[in-house]
Amino acid sequence: METGYSILQSSNLFVECFRESMPLVIAMILLYQYYNKRISIIDTLLYAFASEAYTMLVIGPTFNATFFIGIFIFLEQAHQLFTGRQYIRKEYFFLLILPLLSNIVVFLITQFYKDPFSYPGGKLFPFYTKPIYFYLKTYLPLFAIGAKIVQEREQLSFEKFSRSIKKIAIISCIIAIIQIAVQLIFHNVELSEFLGLQSRYLQQEINGPLGLRVQALFSEPKIFSAFLSLAIPLFIKDRNYMAATVMSVVGILTSSQTFWINILAAGLLFLCLPKLLPVRLKIISTLGMIVGVFLAISASKEYFLKQYMANRNQPIYRLLLERSLYRYDNEVWRKSNVILGIPLQRDMELPIVDFLRNEPYLVISGYGAGNSTFIPPSYFFGQANYQNKLAGIGGQNLNMRWFFILAEFGAVSLVFFFLILTRTGQGASPFQRSYLAYVAVCFFFSQIDLFLIIVALLCAYNNESVNENGHEQNT
């Protein structure tokens, strides 16, 4: 195991063994429930996603229940494809080969035009095999999950998806409250880790006025906050304002900027834009308004910093401003990280932005799936930052997912992904269309690939059925 993973591990061997074994246990239970028709495929995926606090670090930080279920579904779908029981639609076949086309272009660029990459240890073999590993481990399972949802769409609906989201949100908030109570009463790190919290989110100095950032059983507080922000509009639609308020309070306790941005997006999209506006126009308009808000905040950052410094001992200021203003503070780094008013993370997005600025031709093709490891160390802030990048800790999983697609696969691929994942069927209701637009906007700031795939397919095939020969027919 890479030494950098130690920050994710528990110092208690029993706790760590428990956490490392849980992904397989959870995956097997959920698959058993699914194949016995007690839960749907969407329920299976959502419950796995909500349990990613437990991961097999002995292999890697992404080997969680969602990964094992995704691999299982991929193998099942591959078997059906090879035996003629499954078909790939033309538009999805193009999505299937986009990473391959992108990497072919990158290899041609490095061979015949310019090689801007850095190869740790001088080894070229990882550069050529990394895209294959990414494709098999991440991309194909997600593609297979989408195929599985389309295959079983007659048993699925947006209403059932909505009920599942709300149920998981309520359970997760209860778990988060238990985590807070246990930590504040017992002050026992191992016990909190057993309940899903990571020790790095229990440090008094950097994790808000409570001294912790809640994550329920999600992989990180920012992922939990993104999930809550997706659930809140569903509760408000049902006029369950009490539940929406509780979700908002718990979302604030994640101390995540993702939550605030997503809630801002929800307010702008659901309140300021007409219901009948096309989905893609809703997405672009909302992103434009968010950029305008960020530009205004960036222009006023000195005022907010002054207010915070004058009141930094007050819990409400620490809760609302501390982590947000830190992103704008360049006193230590001596380099601006603000793009269109948005403060980029210096260990993740900013090095990639700087790299693409210097190598603009790669914007068209991307730098290749998984190849962010080969960005030269000069773009990173410090040796420790770069070593974490090489170890695959945090830096290879960009939270800004539309930007992730642009950087990895290129602008051409981004356009096709956007067009295909924002389609809606004739039977999609105005709220469904708005919710798809909302998820697509949140996808810009949040690592919610699974949710975008689920919602996009539910909206695209809302009233479609399939006959025995595999051909589509409208009902």
Side-chain angles (χ1 to χ4, degrees):
M1 189 189 304
E2 301 290 347
T3 56
Y5 290 164
S6 60
I7 63 173
L8 306 177
Q9 291 179 291
S10 172
S11 59
N12 185 294
L13 180 61
F14 171 77
V15 172
E16 189 58 32
C17 289
F18 172 80
R19 298 200 313 176
E20 301 246 0
S21 63
M22 285 302 291
L24 276 177
V25 173
I26 293 171
M28 288 189 292
I29 291 174
L30 290 175
L31 287 172
Y32 176 81
Q33 294 284 86
Y34 165 66
Y35 282 102
N36 280 276
K37 302 187 183 302
R38 296 175 183 174
I39 58 176
S40 69
I41 185 61
I42 289 180
D43 289 333
T44 304
L45 296 167
L46 293 179
Y47 279 111
F49 182 82
S51 67
E52 290 182 354
Y54 301 119
T55 181
M56 297 185 72
L57 280 174
V58 68
I59 305 176
T62 59
F63 286 79
N64 46 47
T66 304
F67 166 78
F68 291 114
I69 290 174
I71 291 295
F72 189 91
I73 293 174
F74 162 64
L75 293 175
E76 180 197 57
Q77 291 294 298
H79 178 261
Q80 292 188 11
L81 180 66
F82 290 129
T83 56
R85 291 183 292 160
Q86 178 67 292
Y87 301 86
I88 300 179
R89 301 164 186 243
K90 293 180 180 179
E91 65 271 29
Y92 294 143
F93 178 76
F94 190 66
L95 282 186
L96 186 64
I97 64 173
L98 272 177
L100 172 63
L101 297 176
S102 171
N103 278 286
I104 290 175
V105 173
V106 172
F107 294 153
L108 292 175
I109 289 173
T110 58
Q111 294 296 318
F112 299 105
Y113 176 64
K114 182 181 179 182
D115 188 352
F117 299 103
S118 173
Y119 307 99
K123 298 178 180 178
L124 294 176
F125 181 75
F127 178 75
Y128 292 101
T129 57
K130 190 79 173 181
I132 299 174
Y133 175 74
F134 172 88
Y135 193 70
L136 294 175
K137 175 179 175 291
T138 303
Y139 192 80
L140 281 183
L142 278 175
F143 191 90
I145 285 170
K148 185 74 170 176
I149 292 171
V150 173
Q151 189 180 38
E152 300 190 4
R153 62 187 178 272
E154 291 183 350
Q155 291 81 45
L156 306 173
S157 69
F158 184 82
E159 289 70 26
K160 292 179 180 178
F161 162 79
S162 177
R163 287 197 296 269
S164 297
I165 289 287
K166 289 183 289 186
K167 181 179 179 180
I168 294 172
I170 291 172
I171 295 173
S172 297
C173 283
I174 293 173
I175 294 173
I177 293 171
I178 292 173
Q179 289 175 336
I180 294 172
V182 167
Q183 181 60 23
L184 294 182
I185 293 171
F186 298 102
H187 300 283
N188 188 304
V189 173
E190 288 78 13
L191 182 56
S192 294
E193 288 178 329
F194 186 84
L195 294 173
L197 281 174
Q198 295 180 25
S199 58
R200 58 178 170 160
Y201 300 127
L202 297 171
Q203 300 176 30
Q204 292 282 337
E205 300 80 8
I206 61 174
N207 288 312
L210 292 180
L212 77 158
R213 296 176 62 191
V214 294
Q215 65 181 99
L217 296 183
F218 288 81
S219 59
E220 295 183 9
K222 59 187 173 186
I223 303 297
F224 182 33
S225 72
F227 180 85
L228 291 177
S229 65
L230 295 178
I232 287 173
L234 300 177
F235 283 106
I236 293 177
K237 177 180 178 291
D238 293 342
R239 299 185 179 181
N240 191 342
Y241 302 117
M242 178 62 71
T245 301
V246 173
M247 305 294 154
S248 299
V249 173
V250 176
I252 292 172
L253 293 178
T254 64
S255 298
S256 173
Q257 285 72 57
T258 298
F259 180 76
W260 294 109
I261 297 172
N262 288 359
I263 293 300
L264 170 65
L268 293 173
L269 194 151
F270 286 103
L271 299 179
C272 299
L273 297 178
K275 291 183 178 180
L276 298 180
L277 203 65
V279 169
R280 290 163 187 154
L281 189 55
K282 282 177 179 283
I283 297 168
I284 295 171
S285 300
T286 305
L287 287 174
M289 288 188 288
I290 290 175
V291 168
V293 171
F294 269 108
L295 288 172
I297 293 173
S298 180
S300 307
K301 65 180 180 181
E302 297 300 330
Y303 169 78
F304 289 115
L305 281 169
K306 183 178 179 180
Q307 290 296 313
Y308 170 70
M309 293 304 294
N311 302 276
R312 57 183 173 180
N313 293 324
Q314 297 184 26
I316 188 66
Y317 278 86
R318 290 182 58 196
L319 183 66
L320 299 179
L321 294 178
E322 184 176 41
R323 290 179 55 83
S324 299
L325 292 178
Y326 173 76
R327 292 283 186 89
Y328 285 100
D329 186 9
N330 294 316
E331 184 175 346
V332 175
W333 305 100
R334 302 294 181 182
K335 181 178 181 180
S336 175
N337 63 323
V338 178
I339 305 294
L340 295 177
I342 302 173
L344 304 180
Q345 294 191 62
R346 294 178 177 88
D347 62 335
M348 296 172 67
E349 290 93 1
L350 186 58
I352 292 177
V353 168
D354 289 340
F355 177 67
L356 292 177
R357 277 174 169 172
N358 292 334
E359 314 293 343
Y361 53 90
L362 290 178
V363 172
I364 303 299
S365 64
Y367 49 63
N371 282 344
S372 64
T373 305
F374 306 102
I375 292 176
S378 58
Y379 290 97
F380 295 88
F381 296 88
Q383 184 64 20
N385 191 309
Y386 179 62
Q387 290 300 326
N388 282 340
K389 177 69 175 179
L390 294 183
I393 299 171
Q396 294 184 32
N397 297 308
L398 297 177
N399 296 316
M400 302 176 70
R401 302 307 277 177
W402 287 118
F403 175 62
F404 172 81
I405 293 174
L406 172 67
E408 300 260 331
F409 305 133
V412 175
S413 298
L414 176 65
V415 170
F416 280 99
F417 274 101
F418 181 78
L419 293 177
I420 290 177
L421 292 176
T422 55
R423 297 184 306 168
T424 55
Q426 294 182 353
S429 68
F431 179 81
Q432 283 180 251
R433 295 170 185 268
S434 295
Y435 192 79
L436 172 59
Y438 175 53
V439 173
V441 171
C442 292
F443 187 68
F444 188 86
F445 304 99
S446 310
Q447 195 172 334
I448 52 171
D449 312 51
L450 188 62
F451 286 88
L452 180 60
I453 291 172
I454 292 173
V455 176
L457 293 177
L458 288 177
C459 291
Y461 300 106
N462 186 65
N463 274 343
E464 265 193 17
S465 63
V466 66
N467 63 24
E468 293 180 356
N469 296 321
H471 299 293
E472 299 164 15
Q473 59 184 16
N474 293 323
T475 57

